[in-house]
Amino acid sequence: MNDVTPCPPHLDAAVEESATDFLALYRTHFPFVWRSVRQLGVDASAVDDVVQEVFLVVHKRLATFEGRSSIRTWLFGIVRRVVADRRKSMRRKPSTPMEPSSLDRVVPPVSPFTELESFELVCVLLDTLDETKREVFVLAELEGMTLAEIAQATSTNPNTVAARLRAARAAFECALLEHETRDHEGGLR
């Protein structure tokens, strides 16, 4: 005997459309979410788990997306909260070392820093920035968002975003110069 009550046809269509919308969003924005998670400082061994958490939240909340911001801005807001929650839980309990994520090799970063040797080097340099500067730097320089989009995604005044971005660019440049100097000095020995 079947205890499952069939769903009315109009609800079946709505559920099917919602699933299709989620899959399209997932396929389109997975690389952005993955890069954002990694570039916000999540260890390579935990990126896959955090990205999965992000898309679980997206799946639950997609029907509530009102379109008052771009989908990328909305997604970054979710990424930001999930990463912050992950950091809090990691402070409470140390993680066990794991193999590097296979996605480090599969999902290439989209970055204007073609002179950098690897995505991992960018992440190492990003680690030198504090959290607020890192966020605006990643969104502006690596993801190509405008100051207005960044202000909306981070719930920050646009003038504050501009100041943080200037400071982040300067700090990133210093970290890059230090790295290049160390490499150059290491090669002279």
Side-chain angles (χ1 to χ4, degrees):
M1 184 159 172
N2 188 355
D3 290 339
V4 178
T5 306
C7 195
H10 70 283
L11 290 180
D12 269 347
V15 168
E16 188 174 313
E17 182 179 330
S18 174
T20 302
D21 290 347
F22 174 77
L23 286 174
L25 181 136
Y26 179 85
R27 287 185 183 118
T28 302
H29 296 286
F30 176 86
F32 166 73
V33 169
W34 190 93
R35 285 189 314 269
S36 296
V37 166
R38 183 67 181 108
Q39 292 165 344
L40 288 177
V42 173
D43 186 72
S45 64
V47 170
D48 295 343
D49 293 337
V50 174
V51 169
Q52 181 178 3
E53 289 176 42
V54 168
F55 279 108
L56 285 172
V57 172
V58 168
H59 187 265
K60 287 180 199 172
R61 296 183 51 204
L62 185 57
T64 66
F65 177 66
E66 298 173 352
R68 291 184 292 171
S69 65
S70 73
I71 194 75
R72 283 172 37 116
T73 301
W74 181 72
L75 285 170
F76 187 78
I78 294 170
V79 166
R80 190 173 177 227
R81 283 186 291 282
V82 171
V83 167
D85 290 347
R86 174 57 73 124
R87 281 191 188 114
K88 284 180 201 169
S89 76
M90 295 312 289
R91 278 184 236 139
R92 287 188 291 253
K93 61 180 179 178
S95 65
T96 57
M98 296 176 64
E99 291 296 313
S101 168
S102 60
L103 288 178
D104 283 340
R105 295 178 298 279
V106 176
V107 180
V110 176
S111 172
F113 300 105
T114 55
E115 68 276 1
L116 295 177
E117 295 173 5
S118 71
F119 181 61
E120 286 304 314
L121 176 57
V122 173
C123 291
V124 166
L125 296 174
L126 288 172
D127 283 341
T128 65
L129 304 177
D130 68 47
E131 190 175 327
T132 57
K133 289 182 186 90
R134 183 179 188 138
E135 284 179 349
V136 298
F137 186 86
V138 165
L139 292 175
E141 297 298 332
L142 304 179
E143 297 301 335
M145 285 189 176
T146 65
L147 291 178
E149 289 174 321
I150 296 167
Q152 189 171 29
T154 61
S155 301
T156 308
N157 179 299
N159 293 331
T160 303
V161 169
R164 286 178 183 167
L165 182 56
R166 280 190 302 275
R169 285 175 176 155
F172 189 88
E173 276 296 318
C174 287
L176 180 59
L177 287 172
E178 287 177 23
H179 174 78
E180 289 173 344
T181 301
R182 279 193 308 270
D183 275 3
H184 181 67
E185 289 172 354
L188 295 177
R189 293 177 190 175

